[in-house]
Structure formats: structure tokens, C-alpha cells
């Protein structure tokens, strides 16, 4: 047996490139279908967990899928908006706590989410360092945002303009980082959280001006009549909210007309959820309520259908690979015919010759099984994180 092992090792060393190529090909066709199944299952679990945690979402009329993905993942384009007074209507029903969301703006690709402190309790988000945003212009960063942008408490994050040519004169807002969230391994790690009014300031619905009553501002005064002061175009609109100028920030008009992207109603119980759902299903066309688990399930059905087609394609490739591998093994046996003849002439038994010939195939299949298992283990533990890193890079 030692002689057979020695001869086999020498043969593998001499033909290592051929055997490595075969091992790599068989490993891939064994691993890919299982890896795809694992990643899809993990993704489905994550999607459904977040949807089950937020069974209802209220928003403006439009695509239920866009509203669900926007409210759960902040990943859609600029959404249709509903009025802020809808928040009071939800709470007036007595069936649910209403959490506002406004996720129109970004900072270096990261969504800026205007919301209330109730959102953090609803998602069970913990502050790792610092504190919650308490004033206009303060921001709390998700764990991945802080890591990607190399920011810490006391640093600043600046909102990105929606257009290079902003004729409305809306300036990017410089926001102070006052808190960092602990990792939650959810889309919240990739978001920047601010007070809902801060997002209105970014949009230009609220702003601050210089104190024109100050003697230093004499050059900015166009006309003054009593307590009424008219300024010229050189008056500076602040793009940073500080303790010195926060009192100058104000909003024109009524809060009830200002925009929201969505409202997350948190029902008091199952009965309240059903009553709230029925109330909004009978409402007018200016608002819609979406059952996110149903929407996400429909999305997953599409994903599973696509996955099945891909698996069928991989199965065809696997059959082709197996056929080629068998052909290679068959040709290898034909090339080793002289070797078999020599072994028999020097006294080797037929079973020894057959065993020696079979070791090549067994080695390839065994190595492929080991490598496939290792890759599958890595996929199950780190597949989603690695895929997200690749897509975001």
C-alpha cells in the first residue's frame, strides 16, 4: 500500500496543473448552486424580519414597492410626499404611534433620514457614543457611515446638493455629529439620522439670516422704515446651524403642509392594526397604506423565480463540466495504458493497478468536496456582508 501511495503522489506532483484545473472547475459547479440558495435565503430572512417589524407604512399614492423599500431601506429615488398633518391624523385614531420619515436627501451617497426619537426605540437602535440629536442641524450617524466617512463626535457632515445648478439658492447644510449608533447589521447602519425639521432646512423650507439690527450689517440694508427692515441680496443664508445663530432660523407657513416621505404607524396591538388598516383602505386617494410583508413577499417571489432560472443554467454547466471531467479522466487512462502494462509485467496485481488509476479521480473529487464545503461555510457566515461590500465599492 505504501508503494501505491508513493506512486500516486509522484503522479499527482507531475500532473498538478491538470488536476488543479479539474478540482477548481468541479468545486465551482458544486458550490455555486448551494451558495446562491444560501445567499437568497439569508437575504429573504433579513428582508422579512424588517418587514415584519414594520407591518404597515403610510405614504402618498404611487408604487407600494417603492414606498416599502424607501421606508425600510431608504434606497428609492425622490419619493412622492404627503403632508405633515397626516401624522396627527394617524395619532388621532388612537390605534398607533406615528413615526415620521423624510429621506429625500443624501450626504456622499448616504441617506439623510429625518425622523423622531421614537424611530430609535422602534428599531431598538442603541447609541454607542455621544447622544441623540436634540437641536436643529445635529446628526446621529449609523455605524457604517461613521466608518466609511471617518467621522467621530464633534465632526461635521455636509448634505449633498440635488443638482449642480441649484437656481433656488438652497445651500448644502453643514451638520454637527453628536452621536454614533452601535452596529445593528441593518440598513440603519448606512444612514444619517436628523430631526425632521433639519431635513426641511436642507430643502430650504426653513432658514436663518444675519441680524440686520446689528450695526455690522449696515451694508446689507436696502431700506429701513421703523422696525421694518428690507435687506439686499448680499444677506447671508446660513449653511450651518450653531448656538449663536439657531434663534435666527425660522419656517414660513404652517408645519401641517410640509412634506414627509412616509409614516410608520406602530399599532398598539393586532386589533389596532386591523382597525387602522381598514380605516385607510376606505380613505380617499391622496394617501395609501401598504402592508410591507405582503409587498416584500411578492418581491421575493420574483427573486426566487430568477434564482430558479439561474440554478437551471448552472445545472447545465455542471453537466457539461462533469462530462468534460470524465473525458479528461478517460483520456488520462488511455495515456496511462503503457504504465498499466509495465506494472502488470513487473508483478503488480490487477486490483493494485486499478487502485492506482482510481486515486487520480478520487483525489480530485475529495479535494473538490473539501473546497466546496469551506466556500459554503464562508458563504453562510460572511456571504451577505461580502456581497454588500462588493456592490457598494
Amino acid at each position: 500500500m505504501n508503494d501505491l501511495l508513493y506512486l500516486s503522489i509522484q503522479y499527482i506532483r507531475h500532473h498538478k496543473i491538470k488536476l488543479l484545473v479539474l478540482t477548481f472547475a468541479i468545486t465551482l459547479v458544486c458550490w455555486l448552486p448551494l451558495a446562491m440558495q444560501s445567499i437568497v435565503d439569508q437575504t429573504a430572512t433579513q428582508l422579512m424580519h424588517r418587514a415584519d417589524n414594520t407591518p404597515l407604512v403610510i405614504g402618498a399614492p404611487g408604487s407600494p414597492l417603492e414606498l416599502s423599500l424607501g421606508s425600510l431601506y431608504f434606497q428609492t429615488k425622490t419619493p412622492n410626499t404627503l403632508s405633515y398633518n397626516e401624522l396627527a391624523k394617524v395619532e388621532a385614531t388612537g390605534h398607533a404611534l406615528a413615526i415620521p420619515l423624510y429621506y429625500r436627501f443624501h450626504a456622499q451617497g448616504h441617506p439623510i433620514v429625518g425622523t423622531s426619537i421614537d424611530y430609535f426605540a422602534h428599531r431598538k437602535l442603541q447609541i454607542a457614543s455621544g447622544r441623540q440629536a436634540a437641536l436643529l442641524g445635529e446628526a446621529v450617524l449609523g455605524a457604517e457611515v461613521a466608518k466609511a466617512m471617518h467621522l467621530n463626535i464633534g465632526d461635521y457632515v455636509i448634505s449633498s446638493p440635488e443638482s449642480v445648478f441649484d437656481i433656488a439658492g438652497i445651500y448644502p447644510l453643514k451638520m454637527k455629529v453628536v452621536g454614533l449608533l452601535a452596529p445593528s447589521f441593518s440598513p440603519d447602519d448606512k444612514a444619517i439620522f436628523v430631526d425632521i425639521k433639519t431635513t426641511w432646512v436642507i430643502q430650504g423650507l426653513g432658514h436663518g439670516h444675519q441680524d440686520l439690527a446689528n450695526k455690522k450689517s449696515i451694508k446689507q440694508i436696502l431700506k429701513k422704515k421703523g422696525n421694518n427692515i428690507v435687506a439686499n441680496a448680499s444677506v447671508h443664508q446660513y449653511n450651518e446651524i450653531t448656538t449663536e445663530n439657531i434663534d435666527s432660523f425660522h419656517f414660513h407657513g404652517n408645519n401641517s403642509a410640509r412634506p414627509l416621505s412616509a409614516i410608520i404607524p406602530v399599532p398598539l396591538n393586532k386589533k389596532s392594526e386591523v382597525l387602522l388598516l381598514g380605516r385607510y383602505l376606505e380613505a380617499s386617494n391622496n394617501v395609501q397604506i401598504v402592508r410591507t410583508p405582503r409587498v416584500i413577499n411578492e418581491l421575493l417571489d420574483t427573486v426566487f423565480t430568477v434564482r430558479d432560472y439561474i440554478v437551471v443554467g448552472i445545472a447545465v454547466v455542471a453537466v457539461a463540466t462533469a462530462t468534460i471531467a470524465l473525458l479528461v479522466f478517460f483520456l488520462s487512462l488511455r495515456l496511462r495504458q503503457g504504465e498499466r502494462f509495465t506494472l502488470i509485467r513487473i508483478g503488480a496485481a490487477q486490483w493494485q493497478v486499478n487502485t492506482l488509476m482510481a486515486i487520480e479521480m478520487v483525489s480530485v473529487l475529495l479535494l473538490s468536496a473539501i473546497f466546496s464545503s469551506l466556500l459554503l461555510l464562508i458563504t453562510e457566515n460572511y456571504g451577505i456582508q461580502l456581497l454588500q461590500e462588493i456592490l457598494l465599492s
Side-chain angles (χ1 to χ4, degrees), residues 65-76 79 101 103 262:
L65 178 59
E66 285 192 8
L67 177 60
S68 298
L69 292 179
S71 302
L72 298 177
Y73 301 97
F74 322 121
Q75 291 297 323
T76 58
L101 289 177
Y103 44 81

Side-chain angles (χ1 to χ4, degrees), residues 5-23:
L5 185 61
Y6 174 79
L7 290 173
S8 300
I9 292 174
Q10 295 306 312
Y11 179 83
I12 291 172
R13 288 180 59 187
H14 187 69
H15 297 89
K16 56 182 176 292
I17 295 178
K18 180 192 74 173
L19 297 179
L20 284 175
V21 170
L22 278 174
T23 301

Side-chain angles (χ1 to χ4, degrees), residues 105-107 112 135-139 156-161 170-176 192 194-204 206-208 237-242 245 249 251:
F105 304 101
H106 293 78
I112 298 173
L135 302 173
L136 275 179
E138 294 184 339
Y156 292 87
V157 59
I158 301 176
S159 63
S160 302
I170 300 173
Y171 304 107
L173 182 65
K174 184 178 181 181
M175 298 167 284
K176 186 175 182 180
I192 300 167
V194 298
D195 181 73
I196 196 75
K197 291 185 177 180
T198 300
T199 55
W200 293 340
V201 171
I202 297 174
Q203 189 170 341
H207 55 266
Q237 282 193 306
Y238 288 107
N239 64 350
E240 177 183 357
I241 303 173
T242 65
N245 65 32
F249 275 81
F251 296 87

Side-chain angles (χ1 to χ4, degrees), residues 44 46-59 63-74 101 103 122-123 262-267 270 273 277 281 288-301:
Q46 290 185 3
L47 286 170
M48 288 310 303
H49 174 75
R50 197 163 175 87
D52 290 338
N53 184 249
T54 309
L56 300 176
V57 172
I58 297 171
S63 167
L65 178 59
E66 285 192 8
L67 177 60
S68 298
L69 292 179
S71 302
L72 298 177
Y73 301 97
F74 322 121
L101 289 177
Y103 44 81
H122 175 61
R123 294 291 187 207
I263 297 171
I264 297 178
V266 184
K270 195 66 179 178
E273 179 182 333
L277 186 62
L281 288 176
Q288 69 169 328
I289 190 166
V290 172
R291 285 175 278 190
T292 53
R294 174 180 293 183
V295 174
I296 298 302
N297 261 322
E298 292 174 355
L299 175 63
L300 289 175
D301 287 341

Side-chain angles (χ1 to χ4, degrees), residues 11-12 15 18-26 321-337 340 356-368:
Y11 179 83
I12 291 172
H15 297 89
K18 180 192 74 173
L19 297 179
L20 284 175
V21 170
L22 278 174
T23 301
F24 177 74
I26 296 173
T321 303
T323 303
I324 294 172
L326 287 174
L327 179 61
V328 170
F329 289 135
F330 177 74
L331 293 176
S332 177
L333 290 175
R334 291 291 300 271
L335 291 172
R336 299 179 71 181
Q337 187 172 359
R340 293 201 304 274
L356 185 61
M357 298 297 110
I359 285 177
E360 176 187 6
M361 183 181 295
V362 172
S363 300
V364 169
L365 295 177
L366 182 60
L367 286 173
S368 298

Side-chain angles (χ1 to χ4, degrees), residues 199-237:
T199 55
W200 293 340
V201 171
I202 297 174
Q203 189 170 341
L205 302 177
H207 55 266
H209 296 294
Q210 291 174 231
D211 183 5
L212 296 179
N214 193 310
K215 292 181 180 180
K216 296 180 181 180
S217 302
I218 190 68
K219 293 181 180 180
Q220 281 78 38
I221 297 177
L222 186 64
K223 183 172 66 175
K224 182 176 181 181
K225 186 177 180 180
N227 292 328
N228 186 31
I229 300 175
V230 179
N232 60 33
S234 65
V235 173
H236 175 67
Q237 282 193 306

